[in-house]
Amino acid sequence: MNQKIKTRFAPSPTGFLHVGGVRTALFAWLVAQQNNGEFILRIEDTDQAREVEGSAQHIQDCLDWLGINWDEGPFYQSQRLDIYKEYAQKLIDSGRAYADPYTPQQVQEFREQAIKEKKPFLYRNHRPDKTAAWDGKSPLRFRSDPKAYSWKDEIMGDLSTGAEVIDDFILIKSDGFPTYNFAHIVDDNEMKISHVIRGQEFLASMPNYLNLYEAFDLNRPYFATIPHIMNEQGNKKLSKRDGAKDILDYKKEGYLPEALVNFLATLGWNDGTEQEVFSISELKEKFSLDRVGRSGARFDERRLLWINGSHIRGLKLEDLYQKVEGYWPEEAKDHDKSYKKQVLGLVQERLKYFAELPELTRFFFTDLALNPELISTHKQLKKYESGQLKDLLQKAKASLETTDFSAEQIQEALNKLLQETGEKPAVLFSLIRIATTQAPASPELAGSLSVLGKETSLIRIGTQIERL
Ligand code: GLU
């Protein structure tokens, strides 16, 4: 292709951005990035009634955080009304647009008539023979030229439709703002967009768009239609109720932007292998529209957690330390960096997102209240008499006391203890873990004890023994 690759993200500022919108932006950005092309941001703010204050800024904050940077824009459609009027005039001049002469009541009557006759309602069946010049106060309608179309979609493949769906849609509303159907074609042309990459909800209107491209005698861009993201069950489109949340909530909860990008890119796309974890530069290299699936991908938040966890594990400890600042439990504030870094090193393996940090690490910084339920509901430990558990803990305490509390010596002592007592790790190690942490989960035992230190560990075991 000789044309420069140029893609766009064209959100309407009608609320917060969630995974669906951002994935569309990401795909468009990746296509531009990998072809040395350009990516632009266009805010489609032509429906004033639906506009939500702060939304345009929010969209930019989300893209910024994810590193989806735009080369041009943001353009605001509300500031381009003159351009739409110019294009509208061209259609008026060529006889392809007319002032809508009907009142809403009249249109309602047409609709009722169509229902009675069991026919679909189409404006073009009521097209007036003659219309007054358009004064900008009534809607301006397209004079369509219904015909069948075939076209290629970069994701959906070869598509075609009959003439029936093409209608005289509104180009400019009576408030002076253009409709999406009109404005996006004008802008995509003005902005020299090579690839229109957008969601499935626009597919049904493609015949109308193609008819308008023809009326303007424009070359079509490439089209790529991205299927919906489905809920976890795969039976309907993902909605806010199914967990489609504000992208910036992921930032607050401590997800890595590169992990979210990885997750979004692999929501409906794969590189033909089983690989699921990709760096941004790998995505730039490997992404392609023709490997985007034609049916909706399921949104599975556990997969996001897993991907985020694996990106966290891949970080250098010092980098991770910098990033989790602000997520430590309150009790950590008086502890020094080297202690916190050791703690972090232990939990890095299992940390899925940063907001989990307090729950996973609090016991390293403070004595948690004794929680008898940890034993009484434990699958193995609940079968033991308290005397037996006491006895085991006493043996553990005595043996740990003889070590220098390095992780290696602790591990050795624990292994010896397994042999001496004949107990399974699920029993012995769980018991020691509960006694020393009072937490439902914690990192690997020997390392945790070593970081907690001899004094604290032994005191905590002692307290548990007294309370059994
Ligand atoms: N403004 C449309 C939306 O937010 C954009 C569709 C497109 O990308 O063309 O859904």
Side-chain angles (χ1 to χ4, degrees):
M1 187 166 43
N2 300 324
Q3 191 188 358
K4 186 174 175 72
I5 303 282
K6 206 168 171 192
T7 63
R8 84 310 195 266
F9 179 46
S12 304
T14 53
F16 65 71
L17 208 52
H18 60 72
V19 287
V22 159
R23 185 186 59 156
T24 304
L26 175 65
F27 285 9
W29 179 76
L30 284 171
V31 168
Q33 286 279 317
Q34 61 190 188
N35 289 292
N36 208 6
E38 277 177 26
F39 171 73
I40 71 162
L41 176 60
R42 182 170 78 221
I43 306 289
E44 303 207 317
D45 56 347
T46 55
D47 190 347
Q48 298 204 298
R50 289 184 59 224
E51 191 160 339
V52 171
E53 212 192 308
S55 174
Q57 185 56 48
H58 171 87
I59 289 166
Q60 295 173 63
D61 294 346
C62 289
L63 298 178
D64 266 339
W65 176 56
L66 293 173
I68 302 177
N69 48 310
W70 53 95
D71 302 292
E72 280 177 38
F75 299 102
Y76 288 81
Q77 288 189 322
S78 61
Q79 293 167 11
R80 301 169 56 80
L81 300 186
D82 288 346
I83 301 174
Y84 309 123
K85 293 231 168 79
E86 258 171 52
Y87 273 73
Q89 191 59 48
K90 286 189 207 172
L91 291 177
I92 294 172
D93 294 347
S94 61
R96 297 301 304 271
Y98 64 92
D100 182 339
Y102 300 117
T103 62
Q105 287 88 328
Q106 284 171 306
V107 172
Q108 186 55 27
E109 281 165 28
F110 296 152
R111 280 185 195 281
E112 281 163 18
Q113 190 189 329
I115 293 173
K116 244 187 254 153
E117 292 169 9
K118 298 203 163 69
K119 286 201 299 208
F121 169 70
L122 288 167
Y123 282 92
R124 64 171 147 94
N125 292 338
H126 303 278
R127 193 184 285 163
D129 295 330
K130 267 211 170 80
T131 51
W134 183 54
D135 61 1
K137 296 201 176 81
S138 59
L140 184 70
R141 281 194 186 274
F142 178 48
R143 181 185 287 270
S144 61
D145 176 18
K147 53 174 81 162
Y149 282 106
S150 306
W151 71 99
K152 181 172 181 245
D153 186 286
E154 301 300 304
I155 294 172
M156 298 297 184
D158 291 326
L159 300 174
S160 58
T161 54
E164 326 69 71
V165 293
I166 295 184
D167 199 7
D168 289 5
F169 59 88
I170 294 183
L171 303 168
I172 301 205
K173 298 174 282 181
S174 53
D175 65 3
F177 282 85
T179 55
Y180 166 76
N181 293 342
F182 178 51
H184 86 274
I185 288 179
V186 171
D187 282 340
D188 287 342
N189 180 57
E190 283 285 304
M191 297 171 185
K192 303 197 165 44
I193 298 303
S194 65
H195 289 66
V196 169
I197 300 169
R198 66 184 155 199
Q200 191 181 337
E201 57 274 34
F202 300 97
L203 197 53
S205 304
M206 271 302 283
N208 278 317
Y209 304 155
L210 296 176
N211 210 223
L212 186 56
Y213 282 108
E214 249 177 46
F216 276 127
D217 199 18
L218 292 176
N219 289 331
R220 296 172 188 173
Y222 290 85
F223 297 108
T225 300
I226 310 176
H228 292 315
I229 297 177
M230 305 301 280
N231 66 3
E232 206 182 319
Q233 295 71 38
N235 55 15
K236 64 180 183 54
K237 187 180 157 194
L238 180 73
S239 70
K240 292 178 185 172
R241 222 178 302 144
D242 305 303
K245 59 186 176 193
D246 183 341
I247 290 298
L248 289 183
D249 283 348
Y250 291 111
K251 180 181 182 190
K252 281 188 217 123
E253 289 168 18
Y255 285 79
L256 294 167
E258 59 272 29
L260 198 59
V261 163
N262 178 170
F263 171 70
L264 291 168
T266 51
L267 204 52
W269 169 85
N270 63 63
D271 71 344
T273 72
E274 299 283 292
Q275 185 174 344
E276 280 194 81
V277 177
F278 293 89
S279 67
I280 309 256
S281 54
E282 273 178 301
L283 289 174
K284 283 185 195 169
E285 183 192 321
K286 296 185 172 169
F287 182 80
S288 71
L289 287 173
D290 61 7
R291 290 211 57 88
V292 174
R294 290 182 187 176
S295 56
R298 293 180 193 206
F299 177 79
D300 179 357
E301 213 161 38
R302 283 173 311 241
R303 199 175 72 90
L304 169 59
L305 283 170
W306 175 78
I307 289 178
N308 200 52
S310 62
H311 281 266
I312 288 177
R313 285 194 291 282
L315 289 174
K316 291 207 187 72
L317 186 55
E318 180 60 29
D319 286 346
L320 180 60
Y321 184 79
Q322 304 293 335
K323 289 180 198 289
V324 301
E325 206 205 327
Y327 288 93
W328 288 106
E330 177 61 23
E331 295 83 352
K333 71 175 186 300
D334 299 327
H335 288 79
D336 62 18
K337 175 171 175 179
S338 93
Y339 183 69
K340 287 199 281 195
K341 236 173 124 169
Q342 285 183 63
V343 170
L344 194 59
L346 284 171
V347 297
Q348 181 170 14
E349 250 328 277
R350 59 171 60 212
L351 191 61
K352 302 275 191 309
Y353 58 102
F354 302 160
E356 276 188 324
L357 198 60
E359 191 195 317
L360 289 179
T361 65
R362 189 168 279 116
F363 65 87
F364 281 108
F365 305 103
T366 186
D367 296 330
L368 297 185
L370 229 55
N371 179 0
E373 278 192 4
L374 291 175
I375 291 179
S376 65
T377 62
H378 188 278
K379 238 184 24 224
Q380 316 278 343
L381 297 178
K382 70 179 180 195
K383 299 180 201 149
Y384 285 67
E385 307 266 329
S386 63
Q388 292 173 290
L389 297 176
K390 233 180 189 166
D391 186 46
L392 282 175
L393 275 180
Q394 256 146 2
K395 289 194 173 116
K397 187 165 178 250
S399 138
L400 288 169
E401 235 155 12
T402 64
T403 76
D404 65 357
F405 250 66
S406 63
E408 299 72 42
Q409 287 208 8
I410 292 174
Q411 193 60 57
E412 248 170 61
L414 291 174
N415 291 345
K416 230 189 261 159
L417 217 54
L418 283 178
Q419 284 172 357
E420 282 166 19
T421 60
E423 295 291 351
K424 290 194 281 272
V427 171
L428 188 69
F429 293 180
S430 298
L431 181 61
I432 300 172
R433 203 183 60 67
I434 289 170
T436 50
T437 66
Q438 300 299 329
S442 52
E444 164 271 316
L445 185 59
S448 298
L449 292 178
S450 175
V451 170
L452 265 178
K454 191 166 191 171
E455 196 187 339
T456 306
S457 301
L458 296 180
I459 291 176
R460 288 183 184 179
I461 294 175
T463 311
Q464 182 80 68
I465 292 172
E466 277 164 34
R467 299 297 249 337
L468 270 169

